[in-house]
């Protein structure tokens, strides 16, 4: 999503988006290089999700990997967009034959992951996300969940370090699917487990 958003804010609004900024809030600037105030950022994101979903394309290998994982597990897509964009996200994913439960969320993902675990009572859980802040949130609220840091955007993957609260870092879906399915046989993650080297 992020590279498509960067293209769109440049084309439609004359803004610059720094893919390598340390936070979303610090990434956006105007034509004079001034950082955008936060109250202008959220309307831009809402507009992007309302009108530009078609810009986003599928990550290579994701469809096949998710299909393989779904043979063994229930998949829930926890996405940081407002409820008002849920139907658009479901339709967008459906175009790529990705049809799983979608939950919308604002902010950290730890609490909703913990609520899902409490609701579904699975034998093992794997959380996959590209943002380090969400791995920390899940580690704090649901420490027995396996956490895989994945950055599918190659430009970012080259420069973003592994999330310290993730158990592993894998940026390709084929290898990630194997890692995820291996965790199912191990049950819940030990809360004090050291991060694996990947």
């Amino acid at each position: 999503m992020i590279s498509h958003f960067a293209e769109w804010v440049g084309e439609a609004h004359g803004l610059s988006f720094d893919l390598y900024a340390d936070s979303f809030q610090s990434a956006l600037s105007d034509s004079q290089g001034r950082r955008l105030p936060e109250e202008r950022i959220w309307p831009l994101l809402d507009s992007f999700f309302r009108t530009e979903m078609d810009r986003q394309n599928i990550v290579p290998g994701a469809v096949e990997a998710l299909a393989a994982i779904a043979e063994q597990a229930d998949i829930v897509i926890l996405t940081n967009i407002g409820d008002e964009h849920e139907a658009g996200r479901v339709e967008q994913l459906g175009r790529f034959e990705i049809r799983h439960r979608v939950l919308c969320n604002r902010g950290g993902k730890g609490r909703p992951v913990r609520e899902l675990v409490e609701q579904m009572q699975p034998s093992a859980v794997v959380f996959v996300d590209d943002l380090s802040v969400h791995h920390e949130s899940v580690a704090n609220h649901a420490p027995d969940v396996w956490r895989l840091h994945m950055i599918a955007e190659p430009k970012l993957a080259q420069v973003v370090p592994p999330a310290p609260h993730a158990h592993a870092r894998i940026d390709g879906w084929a290898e990630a699917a194997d890692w995820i399915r291996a965790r199912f046989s191990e049950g819940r993650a030990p809360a004090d487990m050291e991060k694996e080297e990947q």
Side-chain angles (χ1 to χ4, degrees), residues 137-154:
S137 179
V138 172
N140 288 335
H141 293 282
D144 60 349
V145 167
W146 295 99
R147 298 174 300 278
L148 175 61
H149 188 202
M150 177 191 287
I151 300 181
E153 171 55 63

Side-chain angles (χ1 to χ4, degrees), residues 5 8 23 29 60 66 90 98 101 114 122 126 128 135 137 139-140 143 152-154 169 182 190 197-198:
F5 179 77
W8 173 73
S23 72
S29 58
L66 291 173
V90 170
I98 296 174
R101 181 179 175 190
R114 185 186 66 209
V126 180
V128 182
H135 287 283
S137 179
N140 288 335
E153 171 55 63
R169 165 73 178 269
E197 292 300 322
Q198 290 288 342

Side-chain angles (χ1 to χ4, degrees), residues 13-74:
H13 298 279
L15 300 171
S16 296
F17 188 91
D18 180 3
L19 287 171
Y20 308 114
D22 59 359
S23 72
F24 202 89
Q25 286 77 10
S26 64
L28 277 164
S29 58
D30 63 19
S31 58
Q32 267 71 55
R34 295 173 300 216
R35 187 177 293 179
L36 234 60
E38 192 165 338
E39 60 269 17
R40 285 192 59 197
I41 294 173
W42 296 115
L44 286 169
L45 277 168
D46 283 339
S47 179
F48 178 80
F49 288 125
R50 261 197 328 275
T51 65
E52 304 298 320
M53 286 277 201
D54 289 344
R55 283 182 180 258
Q56 299 179 64
N57 50 32
I58 194 70
V59 171
V63 172
E64 298 81 4
L66 291 173
I69 293 165
E71 292 176 2
Q72 294 178 258
D74 295 313

